[in-house]
Amino acid sequence: MSGAGTGYERAMEHFTIATVAEKSPDFRRVLWTGQHTQLVIMTIPPGGEIGEEVHEGIDQILTFVSGTGEARVAGEKKEVVAGDLVVVPAGTKHNFVNTGPNPLVLYTVYGPPEHADGAVHRTKEEADAAEEAGEDEPPTS
């Protein structure tokens, strides 16, 4: 894990996050994993979605970089565009759907980490398969 439980100070990590997110064609790419949080970028293709899910014990904050979509959180629906931020408290059912003609690009922070450190899933199908096979488990301290 990048930094969690290492017992020493690490150098600062710096990302021009909108640029990094825009350049990634991958459905999901873990950029950084700490002991308490994780930074992930996602690109949802036109007509695609993250998929309805619930993260027990994990808060999620999503910031949208480009594209248009629909946030579906706790039974509510709201349009999301570049610059919007959505908070999903732990245990809350949610999904994000791309409703536009271009990719919906976002970055998200999980607390604590939700995915394997350094995970890259090129498509939603690849991500789902990795989760089902137990290959996308967050690091433990």
Side-chain angles (χ1 to χ4, degrees), residues 27-112:
F27 175 74
R28 179 169 50 227
R29 177 178 292 268
V30 175
L31 287 184
W32 181 84
T33 301
Q35 186 172 356
H36 303 287
T37 57
Q38 184 174 63
L39 175 63
V40 176
I41 54 177
M42 298 186 75
T43 300
I44 304 166
E49 62 183 78
I50 288 176
E52 190 172 88
E53 59 188 2
V54 174
H55 304 298
E56 295 296 341
I58 298 172
D59 293 321
Q60 185 175 10
I61 300 169
L62 303 95
T63 303
F64 296 85
V65 174
S66 64
T68 57
E70 184 177 76
R72 301 175 182 173
V73 180
E76 293 183 52
K77 295 180 181 181
K78 183 131 182 127
E79 180 182 25
V80 291
V81 297
D84 286 352
L85 182 144
V86 176
V87 175
V88 180
T92 304
K93 187 183 294 186
H94 61 281
N95 190 8
F96 295 87
V97 179
N98 184 340
T99 59
N102 299 311
L104 179 61
V105 179
L106 63 104
Y107 62 92
T108 183
V109 176
Y110 295 96

Side-chain angles (χ1 to χ4, degrees), residues 127-135:
D128 289 346
E131 287 177 14
E132 287 174 21
E135 298 168 355

